[in-house]
Amino acid sequence: MQNQSTSQEQATPKGLLQQRLADFDIPQRFKEQGIYPYFREIEGKQGPIVNMDGHDVLMFGSNAYTALTYDDRVIQAGVDALIKYGSGCAGSRFLNGTLDLHTVLEREIADFVGKDEALCFTTGFTVNSGVIPALVGRNDYILYDSRVHASIIDGRRLAQAKQLRFKHNDMEDLERLLQKCKPDAVKLIVVDGVFSMEGDLAPIPELVELRNKYNATLMVDEAHGVGVFGETGAGVCQHFGLTDEVDLIMGTFSKSLASIGGFIATDHITANYLRHNARTFIFSASCSPAATACALEALRILRTETQILTDLWEVTEYALKRFREEGFEIGPTESPIIPLYVRDTEKTFKVTARALEEGVFINPVIPPACAPNDTLVRFALMAKHTHEQVEEAVKRLKHCFLELGIID
Ligand SMILES: Cc1ncc(COP(=O)(O)O)c(C=O)c1O
């Protein structure tokens, strides 16, 4: 496997801080065993097959659900924008960094997800870490699912509001917490629409019911919902027909929209407030012209080519069926994210390394991204994967899982 070198980590620590940091040697230990699974280099475009170290590898570790990252039209849109607008915006949206391209993308995103307005940020991470603290104050509450993405966790850490965590998808637990909140305080409920590691969905209808009953505000992270769920791929809120009842819809351009950047879509009043108060929007440079143009083109393709969603779901259903038939433990996933449970951190790294030797790229998921007993490898599909590629991956992964005694 690439990147197993330990020479840099063996340098002699200088000063107190470096001495303390030198105690962090977990990566070195996994590198010594040849099972370090991070920062693996891909030498080309991200499609169903990628080039690594001169070899073709089946890519099942990507979030490019729509497979538009290597689409010629998306690439050309990026090239054209680079030539027209240059390489960067040299400022934040607030000041000199707003291009007509950003505004067009915002209008089309808002229309796509079904909200009054959208604001485009430089990453999805900065949407969550900027929007959440901007919305709530000292006397308010944030109620969040225990498995939300790290960017939501960091957003709530930056907020001054009281923080209440409810058990994953447990609406009784959420209601119990809502009952504790002061009735006249703002209560912001935040969930992932599709949970990024396990692939299960948030119960949007029940969340909406509680939002209405307790006069709360509901924010749904659609990072893994856009381009995957809903009639036109607008996400799980659309899938449940409840877009109007969800106050804030967050999304990213780094997955189905084949680029980098993120958005928050909401009503006029909230958008106006966030535009002038979300610190990661105001104090960070805007999304580059090429990235913005690629996201816009990917969005337009997604909206016109419904075959993308059809293909994605067809191959997803096939993969779900095959993993179940072959005896893998895949949990209650309902999406193109298929967790293959290992339930042991070292074996999770070992099976990731063995899979790559067998020509299959998958991602290890260990704490804090999951509970200690829930370690898994994450297998994700793209619309352009074929049945043959899935079949080949299932066969090779089964061999690795059997070899390591993960399944029998
Ligand atoms: C659920 C979720 N929210 C937010 C993000 C952050 O998005 P971005 O990659 O655009 O920073 C991710 C990315 O991994 C995610 O999975």
Side-chain angles (χ1 to χ4, degrees):
M1 200 195 290
Q2 304 162 343
N3 265 320
Q4 300 290 353
S5 142
T6 56
S7 56
Q8 198 190 335
E9 292 86 348
Q10 281 158 0
T12 315
K14 299 185 209 86
L16 283 179
L17 178 62
Q18 277 201 350
Q19 279 167 28
R20 191 200 311 151
L21 303 186
D23 290 341
F24 174 70
D25 65 352
I26 301 167
Q28 293 91 307
R29 284 193 270 127
F30 284 114
K31 282 179 189 178
E32 275 157 23
Q33 292 181 59
I35 56 171
Y36 179 72
Y38 303 119
F39 302 101
R40 294 173 286 177
E41 287 171 9
I42 292 164
E43 294 155 5
K45 298 189 182 92
Q46 188 134 163
I49 296 177
V50 294
N51 195 273
M52 296 179 73
D53 226 2
H55 301 289
D56 279 352
V57 171
L58 288 169
M59 171 50 85
F60 285 102
S62 176
N63 297 299
Y65 306 113
T66 54
L68 289 170
T69 39
Y70 61 102
D71 186 284
D72 287 342
R73 294 161 294 178
V74 175
I75 295 169
Q76 191 58 51
V79 170
D80 293 346
L82 191 56
I83 291 167
K84 177 170 177 189
Y85 296 94
S87 56
C89 299
S92 91
R93 294 292 310 282
F94 196 56
L95 298 172
N96 57 302
T98 293
L99 303 175
D100 50 355
L101 211 50
H102 292 122
T103 316
V104 172
L105 179 58
E106 287 180 340
R107 269 204 305 275
E108 295 196 20
I109 286 280
D111 184 53
F112 175 57
V113 299
K115 287 289 173 198
D116 293 345
E117 288 189 45
L119 306 183
C120 292
F121 288 56
T122 312
T123 67
F125 200 104
T126 59
V127 176
N128 284 332
S129 57
V131 165
I132 295 169
L135 290 177
V136 283
R138 198 176 292 287
N139 298 320
D140 302 330
Y141 298 88
I142 299 173
L143 301 105
Y144 63 100
D145 187 286
S146 61
R147 299 223 184 126
V148 288
H149 188 259
S151 52
I152 295 175
I153 299 293
D154 283 11
R156 65 128 189 117
R157 281 180 180 151
L158 287 168
Q160 294 187 314
K162 296 174 206 56
Q163 325 253 327
L164 302 173
R165 184 172 77 150
F166 57 93
K167 289 188 200 131
H168 178 53
N169 275 354
D170 185 335
M171 295 299 101
E172 275 179 29
D173 199 31
L174 173 58
E175 179 149 27
R176 183 182 62 79
L177 296 175
L178 282 164
Q179 282 164 351
K180 283 190 183 173
C181 300
K182 293 199 185 96
D184 58 348
V186 169
K187 296 166 278 291
L188 178 66
I189 304 170
V190 192
V191 295
D192 286 10
V194 181
F195 287 86
S196 54
M197 299 298 142
E198 294 86 0
D200 54 337
L201 307 192
I204 304 292
E206 289 87 341
L207 284 159
V208 164
E209 228 177 279
L210 290 175
R211 165 217 185 240
N212 295 342
K213 183 168 171 189
Y214 291 92
N215 194 14
T217 303
L218 180 58
M219 172 169 169
V220 176
D221 177 329
E222 291 272 27
H224 300 270
V226 165
V228 178
F229 282 92
E231 202 188 329
T232 64
V236 291
C237 300
Q238 183 189 52
H239 169 76
F240 286 109
L242 288 168
T243 299
D244 291 346
E245 313 270 337
V246 175
D247 305 279
L248 297 117
I249 295 179
M250 175 273 174
T252 172
F253 305 144
S254 69
K255 304 183 196 300
S256 284
L257 296 179
S259 183
I260 185 89
F263 68 85
I264 192 78
T266 185
D267 58 88
H268 290 303
I269 292 173
T270 312
N272 173 59
Y273 184 83
L274 289 173
R275 187 177 283 117
H276 301 98
N277 288 279
R279 292 170 67 82
T280 56
F281 188 70
I282 296 170
F283 296 108
S284 186
S286 59
C287 210
S288 77
T292 310
C294 289
L296 180 59
E297 184 63 20
L299 176 66
R300 288 175 175 170
I301 295 171
L302 174 65
R303 294 185 83 176
T304 47
E305 294 180 11
T306 52
Q307 192 61 34
I308 294 175
L309 286 173
T310 311
D311 291 347
L312 176 63
W313 278 102
E314 204 273 327
V315 74
T316 295
E317 298 298 348
Y318 181 73
L320 287 168
K321 173 170 126 342
R322 292 295 295 119
F323 278 117
R324 288 201 176 102
E325 281 171 0
E326 295 298 333
F328 287 83
E329 184 195 350
I330 64 171
T333 177
E334 298 175 66
S335 70
I337 300 168
I338 306 185
L340 307 175
Y341 283 94
V342 179
R343 305 197 180 282
D344 176 297
T345 297
E346 191 163 326
K347 278 190 184 174
T348 299
F349 282 180
K350 280 189 175 152
V351 81
T352 306
R354 280 291 295 119
L356 190 56
E357 281 164 13
E358 295 291 326
V360 183
F361 190 114
I362 43 175
N363 285 311
V365 180
I366 61 158
C370 66
N373 291 333
D374 291 340
T375 68
L376 57 95
V377 288
R378 182 182 184 277
F379 183 98
L381 292 140
M382 298 180 207
K384 292 271 193 245
H385 277 125
T386 63
H387 282 211
E388 292 69 32
Q389 288 166 341
V390 170
E391 204 50 56
E392 200 49 51
V394 171
K395 188 176 93 191
R396 295 185 204 174
L397 290 175
K398 186 167 181 188
H399 175 70
C400 301
F401 272 60
L402 283 172
E403 189 181 273
L404 289 162
I406 304 165
I407 56 172
D408 29 62

